[in-house]
Amino acid sequence: VYIWDMDETLILLKSLLNGSYAASFNGVKNMGKGKEIGKSWEKHILDVCDTFFFYEQIENHNEPCLNALREYDDGRDLSDYDFSSDGFDDPNKRRLAYRHRVIAEKYSKGLHTLLDQEMMKIWNDLYKLTDAYTDKWFTSARVLLEEQNVNVLVTSGSLVPSLVKCLLFRLDDLIVYSSWEVGKLQCFSWIKERFPNVRFCVIGDGSEECEAAETMKWPFIRIDMRPHRFPGLTMKTVNHYMEVIY
């Protein structure tokens, strides 16, 4: 099982917005272009969150994963359910569980079921532009993901925007955990329970996932502009880290 960090590992966004990605290339990259690309992604993420994923309603009710509230869901048919007038302002686990079920269904079906043709083209064009600007970072990350048996994403961001990022950045087949409130070590423990008797490898750019991996005695590969980045990180390198630990 490969456990991935999201931001600045599989997805570049913050480093585009603050110019640090361009700065690492010592003037070769146009920093202004990178920032504009980042701002476009921010707008897309927020629009999709609010339009399709109840984000305005549930922003203050973050959960660590999509099935966290399954016990509260009574299985009611939601085809004619009015989410705009069910009194959600009064915190209710069942109403939140209903929203999580709908979010999970939309996440599993993909963006093409949500966006019209015009928006799909805008999104695809932005993805291609970003991939070209970052020297195929997204494409090469996707290739590496497809070589693995099981990929799990653990992000320090809140759950709903992270799911939307997965959809927009074509990572929509990943299992996602949010460590926003519980921490990455707790998420790693849950993943170990979910996938018993297998080997694990953690790939990320931050100290928290590094320390959590060390606590779990799992190999950790740090993504950075140097030495490991996309493109460039290969299964040969990943396997080397695995062999050192296992």
Side-chain angles (χ1 to χ4, degrees):
V1 174
Y2 293 84
I3 301 172
W4 299 82
D5 178 44
M6 174 188 282
D7 295 300
E8 307 311 309
T9 299
L10 291 175
I11 293 171
L12 296 177
L13 183 56
K14 183 180 178 181
S15 61
L16 295 177
L17 286 164
N18 65 21
S20 61
Y21 176 81
S24 70
F25 287 84
N26 300 316
V28 174
K29 296 285 184 184
N30 183 320
M31 188 178 292
K33 181 180 179 180
K35 290 181 177 180
E36 285 302 312
I37 289 172
K39 289 175 185 175
S40 296
W41 279 117
E42 271 195 325
K43 182 181 183 303
H44 276 297
I45 291 162
L46 190 59
D47 286 349
V48 174
C49 279
D50 289 341
T51 305
F52 302 107
F53 289 88
F54 307 110
Y55 192 52
E56 287 185 354
Q57 290 186 334
I58 69 174
E59 183 176 1
N60 296 320
H61 302 278
N62 188 58
E63 295 292 335
C65 58
L66 275 174
N67 61 8
L69 297 169
R70 188 172 291 169
E71 64 183 291
Y72 299 99
D73 191 339
D74 60 5
R76 172 178 175 172
D77 180 1
L78 300 176
S79 56
D80 60 351
Y81 187 84
D82 187 356
F83 285 99
S84 63
S85 61
D86 67 346
F88 184 73
D89 290 341
D90 176 26
N92 180 290
K93 292 287 191 182
R94 180 167 293 171
R95 294 172 191 151
L96 187 57
Y98 288 165
R99 284 159 173 79
H100 272 232
R101 193 202 320 164
V102 172
I103 289 169
E105 289 171 357
K106 290 179 177 179
Y107 180 64
S108 67
K109 291 177 181 176
L111 272 186
H112 66 280
T113 63
L114 304 176
L115 304 182
D116 59 26
Q117 269 193 318
E118 182 182 356
M119 282 306 302
M120 286 292 289
K121 184 180 186 308
I122 292 171
W123 163 58
N124 278 315
D125 288 347
L126 179 60
Y127 184 94
K128 291 173 184 175
L129 174 67
T130 315
D131 202 34
Y133 178 80
T134 59
D135 303 320
K136 303 290 185 182
W137 185 288
F138 301 152
T139 297
S140 56
R142 182 75 236 174
V143 167
L144 197 60
L145 281 170
E146 289 172 352
E147 292 184 36
Q148 320 304 344
N149 291 324
V150 180
N151 295 293
V152 182
L153 192 150
V154 178
T155 173
S156 55
S158 55
L159 184 64
V160 169
S162 298
L163 293 168
V164 170
K165 284 181 183 179
C166 282
L167 289 173
L168 287 169
F169 288 92
R170 303 183 182 177
L171 303 171
D172 41 301
D173 55 351
L174 295 185
I175 301 165
V176 180
Y177 284 83
S178 166
S179 66
W180 179 270
E181 293 167 343
V182 299
K184 289 188 174 170
L185 181 58
Q186 175 62 72
C187 290
F188 288 7
S189 297
W190 285 331
I191 294 166
K192 185 177 181 181
E193 291 174 7
R194 184 169 182 167
F195 299 99
N197 304 316
V198 300
R199 300 194 302 176
F200 296 88
C201 182
V202 181
I203 305 169
D205 74 306
S207 58
E208 187 187 1
E209 56 262 32
C210 177
E211 291 167 5
E214 287 178 356
T215 299
M216 302 295 287
K217 295 181 170 54
W218 295 344
F220 175 75
I221 301 173
R222 183 178 295 279
I223 296 294
D224 202 343
M225 295 303 115
R226 307 287 183 271
H228 302 310
R229 50 160 296 182
F230 296 113
L233 182 64
T234 64
M235 277 307 300
K236 182 178 180 180
T237 304
V238 172
N239 287 332
H240 170 71
Y241 278 82
M242 295 284 282
E243 288 166 4
V244 168
I245 299 296
Y246 293 105

